[in-house]
């Protein structure tokens, strides 16, 4: 009897741009060299790190509502969004969105190489991680027979003003803005590879196109990854 691999905790962010006509989402293509889901189109995300549990409360901007999942998932989601595509969900002392600066590229490189941490970066800049802009969207667990398994929490987030995705070259082959319906059509035509949770998230966004994010239903996935 083969003992199933314990799923790794992870977080994924569906970044949304409503500046254009109709909702667009940002998707990235995984390099063919990746061990899990090579060449697949996914949303930014990755594993929850131990350090994600140690973000000081004074550096987190909470909503009035209680977070729907452990705070570490929110921190991981925001960290992965910054590491992978350079989008930072933070506000300054005046509550205004933090604007990009010339240091971000070096900071991202340092965090990804393990020379510093995202938590240290937020604390050093004296800004607040704006987790109220991360809307919990549901979760999914990889099936038992898979060699690489993940317990993933999904979040929705609007693209902050004056920011634009700038994907890394190590974990992402390419990135693009695309309408959910178009992404689904590309998958159905065989032009792009996606896993079922990605397809279901795109389908939900397409069906609720134009609604305010809090109005979108939380997807409590009961099925496993294919």
């Amino acid at each position: 009897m083969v003992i199933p691999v314990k799923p790794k905790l992870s977080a994924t962010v569906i970044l949304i741009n409503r500046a254009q006509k109709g909702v667009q989402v940002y998707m990235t293509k995984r390099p063919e060299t990746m061990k899990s889901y090579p060449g697949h189109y996914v949303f930014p995300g990755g594993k929850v790190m131990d350090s994600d549990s140690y973000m000081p409360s004074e550096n987190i901007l909470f909503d009035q509502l209680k977070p729907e999942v452990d705070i570490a998932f929110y921190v991981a989601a925001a960290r992965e969004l910054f590491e992978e595509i350079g989008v930072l969900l933070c506000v300054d002392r005046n509550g205004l969105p933090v604007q990009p600066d010339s240091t971000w590229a070096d900071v991202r490189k340092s965090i990804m190489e393990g020379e510093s941490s995202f938590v240290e970066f937020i604390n050093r800049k004296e800004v607040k991680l704006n987790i109220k802009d991360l809307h919990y969207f549901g979760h999914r667990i990889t099936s038992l027979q898979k060699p690489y398994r993940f317990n993933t929490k999904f979040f929705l987030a609007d693209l902050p003003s004056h920011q634009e995705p700038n994907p890394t070259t190590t974990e992402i082959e390419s990135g693009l803005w695309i309408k959910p319906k178009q992404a689904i059509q590309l998958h159905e035509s065989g032009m792009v590879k996606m896993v079922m949770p990605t397809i279901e998230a795109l389908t939900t966004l397409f069906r609720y196109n134009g609604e305010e994010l809090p109005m979108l239903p939380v997807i409590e996935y009961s099925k496993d990854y294919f």
Side-chain angles (χ1 to χ4, degrees):
M1 178 179 177
V2 178
I3 299 176
V5 175
K6 182 179 180 179
K8 296 179 180 178
L9 301 181
S10 61
T12 291
V13 182
I14 304 172
L15 189 65
I16 294 175
N17 185 358
R18 291 187 270 190
Q20 304 298 324
K21 184 178 181 181
V23 169
Q24 290 184 322
V25 296
Y26 193 78
M27 303 194 72
T28 62
K29 183 180 181 183
R30 294 172 63 82
E32 295 290 347
T33 54
M34 300 293 280
K35 292 182 179 180
S36 60
Y37 308 112
H40 283 62
Y41 279 78
V42 298
F43 303 114
K47 294 183 293 185
V48 176
M49 308 296 288
D50 290 341
S51 59
D52 294 329
S53 299
Y54 298 105
M55 179 75 74
S57 59
E58 60 266 24
N59 290 127
I60 300 177
L61 180 61
F62 292 92
D63 199 348
Q64 293 180 348
L65 300 177
K66 180 181 178 181
E68 297 191 57
V69 295
D70 191 282
I71 198 69
F73 285 99
Y74 287 86
V75 177
R79 174 180 53 75
E80 288 288 341
L81 195 65
F82 180 64
E83 288 182 9
E84 291 195 353
I85 62 173
V87 171
L88 186 61
L89 300 178
C90 286
V91 295
D92 60 22
R93 295 178 179 178
N94 298 316
L96 300 175
V98 173
Q99 302 302 316
D101 61 49
S102 59
T103 67
W104 283 19
D106 290 338
V107 170
R108 290 170 62 194
K109 183 174 182 293
S110 176
I111 292 173
M112 295 189 71
E113 293 180 352
E115 297 175 355
S116 62
S117 74
F118 182 67
V119 173
E120 292 170 345
F121 167 60
I122 298 300
N123 187 50
R124 185 170 63 251
K125 285 188 68 71
E126 297 184 339
V127 297
K128 289 183 178 290
L129 185 63
N130 193 13
I131 70 165
K132 73 175 187 177
D133 279 353
L134 283 167
H135 303 265
Y136 178 56
F137 195 50
H139 73 277
R140 197 67 178 268
I141 302 176
T142 314
S143 55
L144 295 175
Q145 68 271 22
K146 297 291 185 179
Y148 303 101
R149 303 185 65 219
F150 302 94
N151 181 348
T152 305
K153 308 296 184 186
F154 285 73
F155 297 88
L156 299 172
D158 275 307
L159 176 70
S161 60
H162 304 294
Q163 294 194 45
E164 187 63 32
N166 179 24
T168 63
T169 57
T170 54
E171 296 184 6
I172 298 174
E173 181 177 310
S174 60
L176 79 164
W177 287 107
I178 190 169
K179 292 183 178 180
K181 183 177 180 180
Q182 183 183 1
I184 294 169
Q185 291 173 336
L186 289 174
H187 170 73
E188 291 176 343
S189 68
M191 295 182 67
V192 301
K193 295 186 290 186
M194 297 180 190
V195 291
M196 188 53 65
T198 303
I199 298 167
E200 291 181 344
L202 288 167
T203 301
T204 301
L205 288 169
F206 167 62
R207 290 175 178 172
Y208 288 84
N209 194 6
E211 295 285 350
E212 292 295 323
L213 293 187
M215 297 298 292
L216 290 167
V218 171
I219 302 177
E220 292 293 349
Y221 296 117
S222 58
K223 304 174 184 177
D224 287 332
Y225 278 122
F226 282 9

